[in-house]
Amino acid sequence: MTNKGIVTEVSGDLLTIVFERPEACGECHNCMRGSEDCAKHTITLRGHADKGDVVEVEMDDSHVMAASALAYLIPLAGFIAGLAVGWALRGTVPGFNEELLMALCAIVGTGIAYLVMRALDPHFSKGRWEPKIVSVSKQTE
């Protein structure tokens, strides 16, 4: 997957790149409820370019799919695990609604999955998972 973005900030060899909404997004404006900045996505990468340059950033499609799968499956697994723990604990707390206990455990499981994702993020954001700059060109007016 390749996207073009504009370098908005340069700090040594760190570039801040802003990407506009892809054409595939259409005009739904679902992200951020159609605000002016709803489709601006910002990343920071190592590279060499000047402010205002157009850079082409690439990430292998298989890595994009794997990252998307992890981003959805880890919280889902946490939710299901929490739900299972709540189901196993039902009836152990007298006077407590069983469905409420299961829902609370599912929420806690999802929260734990979020913390796991935060802990794994530095590992996954480097190496083969990191987008690469493939070309740099001057912006034409």
Side-chain angles (χ1 to χ4, degrees), residues 69-87:
L70 284 174
Y72 285 103
L73 292 178
I74 290 175
L76 179 63
F79 177 81
I80 292 172
L83 199 58
V85 167
W87 183 79

Side-chain angles (χ1 to χ4, degrees), residues 51-68:
K51 187 175 180 178
D53 286 354
V54 176
V55 294
E56 195 170 335
V57 178
E58 180 180 63
M59 187 171 179
D60 187 5
D61 287 337
S62 65
H63 297 177
V64 172
M65 293 299 293
S68 296

Side-chain angles (χ1 to χ4, degrees), residues 95-139:
F96 201 78
N97 186 330
E98 293 177 357
E99 288 85 10
L100 181 59
L101 178 65
M102 290 174 62
L104 290 174
C105 287
I107 291 170
V108 168
T110 305
I112 291 170
Y114 171 76
L115 294 175
V116 167
M117 286 180 60
R118 291 290 303 239
L120 292 176
D121 184 52
H123 170 70
F124 286 129
S125 63
K126 301 293 181 219
R128 69 183 182 121
W129 298 87
E130 188 174 31
K132 307 274 188 277
I133 296 174
V134 292
S135 71
V136 177
S137 58
K138 299 293 177 195
Q139 187 175 16

